[in-house]
Amino acid sequence: MGVHELTRAEARRIAVRAQLLDRPRPTALLGVVQRLTLLQADQTAAVAPNADLVLWSRLGSAYRPADLEAALGDQALLELQGMIRPAADLALHRADMADWPGRGELLDWQEYRRDWVEANRGCRLDILRRLRSDGPLPARELPDSCELRWPSSGWSNDRNVLKMLELMEARGEVAVAGRDGRERLWDLAERIFPDDRVVAAGEAARIRGERRLHSLGIARSSSAKQPVDVHEAGEPAVIEGLRGRWRVDPAQLDQPFTGRTALLSPLDRLVFDRKRMTELFEFEYQLEMYKPVAKRRWGYWAMPILHGDRLVGKLDATADRRAGVLRVDAIHRDVPFTKAMTVAVDREIADLAAWLDLHLDRPLD
């Protein structure tokens, strides 16, 4: 098998098409999640929660957040380790749960997690007993009987119950049963997860890698920003002007491309791997929600703007639900907008406001 030689434009179009951001739009929610493999369940709602924005970007205003809630309620989709996934994919994670905290020689952080859970065995059992009798429950209603506190310099410092729940989730003992607003409700995994087969670890990793590459179209074999490495899935490729080798989904080669305009969540998988985004799209972007206001260039939740196969700017907007408006603070243009681009971007902004059921508050340019 030879190495595919691609221009950067060809690589971008493969990436856009694989992420269902070309024309025609998809029409089925479950089909979109199956193709993307996951939706990050981030609840930041400066505009709308990430999962809803990702689905709206693909499905358009026919999508309703209630549709996602229904799919989760019916367990066609599951929330697992902060990601919304097809329920059928659980079989690809069960081997890792059984082998928690890992196989072979463990890394220091894996050993620490194993030892921390073991040191707090009583707390883990207390949580299981409470969930068995009263679940599902939020973390704040579960007992904190941890003897060894969870140390962290970040937000999780001393959040013992929440950290224990997340590690118990990775072990396959508990699962997210739903949400009360933004708060996760926890229950015994046996009540939530389907009684499904277990795919052997090596085979599961291979399948996850293949599905991940199918969703990305083109990627390097491993990336710190992706939850699943594509390893040797697909076929080798080189991209004009970029160093190193890539892996490309052969099903995406030599396919027609019809672009469209889309407003993307900052956590959208087209842009989530910032290094890949920079290499393929030559686009400068950072999520600035954690920066002081004075140091922000583009805004708290600036949404990348896709036009065709290029990322052309950022939309700084906020959904002010009390005032009933989608407030547009700025449109940062990375390239000069043609009249057609301006019309297309304005149409998407108006559609976003209508989908949110908010009036559009936009200053005159």
Side-chain angles (χ1 to χ4, degrees):
M1 178 174 57
V3 177
H4 299 284
E5 298 181 0
L6 303 172
T7 66
R8 206 173 309 203
E10 289 170 332
R12 287 196 301 267
R13 291 177 178 183
I14 287 171
V16 171
R17 189 169 52 237
Q19 279 284 298
L20 303 176
L21 286 164
D22 63 337
R23 293 186 185 277
R25 286 180 183 267
T27 58
L29 184 154
L30 293 180
V32 169
V33 181
Q34 179 71 20
R35 174 61 173 267
L36 301 184
T37 73
L38 55 82
L39 304 172
Q40 189 164 336
D42 186 276
Q43 297 299 300
T44 303
V47 175
N50 173 70
D52 291 325
L53 281 176
V54 170
L55 290 169
W56 169 77
S57 293
R58 275 75 178 172
L59 298 165
S61 289
Y63 166 70
R64 292 289 180 266
D67 301 338
L68 178 59
E69 294 176 10
L72 287 164
D74 295 341
Q75 294 189 341
L77 300 174
L78 296 173
E79 184 174 337
L80 177 64
Q81 296 179 9
M83 303 292 178
I84 297 169
R85 309 171 189 270
D89 283 7
L90 179 64
L92 302 176
H93 298 272
R94 284 192 181 275
D96 287 348
M97 293 175 179
D99 291 338
W100 185 93
R103 303 176 192 89
E105 186 176 352
L106 299 180
L107 300 174
D108 289 347
W109 64 269
Q110 292 173 311
E111 290 184 347
Y112 182 84
R113 291 183 177 191
R114 177 200 61 196
D115 295 344
W116 188 83
V117 170
E118 182 57 32
N120 292 304
R121 183 173 183 272
C123 180
R124 183 174 68 84
L125 294 178
D126 288 344
I127 289 172
L128 289 172
R129 280 191 288 266
R130 181 67 190 282
L131 289 177
R132 191 171 299 280
S133 63
D134 300 322
L137 292 169
R140 56 185 165 80
E141 294 186 22
L142 293 168
D144 183 356
S145 53
C146 288
E147 296 183 10
L148 181 63
R149 318 307 287 177
W150 179 263
S152 171
S153 59
W155 69 272
S156 62
N157 186 52
D158 212 27
R159 296 193 179 190
N160 305 304
V161 171
L162 184 58
K163 197 63 189 180
M164 180 64 78
L165 285 166
E166 291 175 346
L167 295 176
M168 291 170 70
E169 181 188 31
R171 290 162 58 101
E173 294 179 306
V174 301
V176 176
R179 286 183 179 264
D180 181 6
R182 299 177 63 175
E183 194 169 19
R184 288 174 288 183
L185 300 176
W186 297 89
D187 207 344
L188 301 179
E190 63 198 51
R191 294 175 179 165
I192 306 301
F193 290 160
D195 185 12
D196 206 351
R197 64 193 178 96
V198 177
V199 179
E203 178 70 1
R206 182 188 64 78
I207 294 171
R208 291 200 308 263
E210 289 178 347
R211 293 197 58 230
R212 193 73 191 129
L213 182 61
H214 188 53
S215 77
L216 293 172
I218 188 164
R220 296 195 184 274
S221 61
S222 63
S223 168
K225 286 291 187 179
Q226 296 298 344
V228 176
D229 290 342
V230 301
H231 297 296
E232 297 305 307
E235 297 176 359
V238 293
I239 300 174
E240 182 182 9
L242 297 178
R243 294 180 178 179
R245 291 202 174 187
W246 297 65
R247 306 296 296 186
V248 64
D249 178 5
Q252 292 290 346
L253 295 169
D254 302 319
Q255 296 296 313
F257 178 82
T258 303
R260 61 181 175 89
T261 301
L263 306 176
L264 305 181
S265 164
L267 304 179
D268 195 291
R269 292 293 144 168
L270 188 71
V271 298
F272 187 77
D273 184 336
R274 306 297 193 221
K275 184 174 188 296
R276 173 179 178 267
M277 173 199 72
T278 301
E279 289 178 320
L280 295 185
F281 292 90
E282 300 172 277
F283 183 65
E284 185 180 5
Y285 181 79
Q286 287 182 331
L287 178 58
E288 297 181 319
M289 61 188 293
Y290 300 111
K291 285 187 175 184
V293 173
K295 293 186 177 182
R296 292 176 190 157
R297 299 170 60 190
W298 304 303
Y300 177 88
W301 188 252
M303 299 177 65
I305 301 171
L306 175 71
H307 181 74
D309 67 353
R310 299 304 303 262
L311 293 166
V312 298
K314 299 100 175 166
L315 169 68
D316 180 13
T318 304
D320 186 340
R321 291 169 178 81
R322 285 190 177 182
V325 299
L326 176 67
R327 184 169 295 110
V328 175
D329 295 310
I331 299 174
H332 302 282
R333 296 169 173 84
D334 286 31
V335 298
F337 280 19
T338 65
K339 183 176 181 180
M341 290 169 64
T342 299
V343 169
V345 172
D346 288 349
R347 186 188 305 118
E348 288 300 305
I349 295 171
D351 190 63
L352 177 60
W355 173 65
L356 293 169
D357 197 22
L358 298 174
H359 296 291
L360 183 59
D361 180 6
R362 177 177 174 180
L364 295 176
D365 291 338

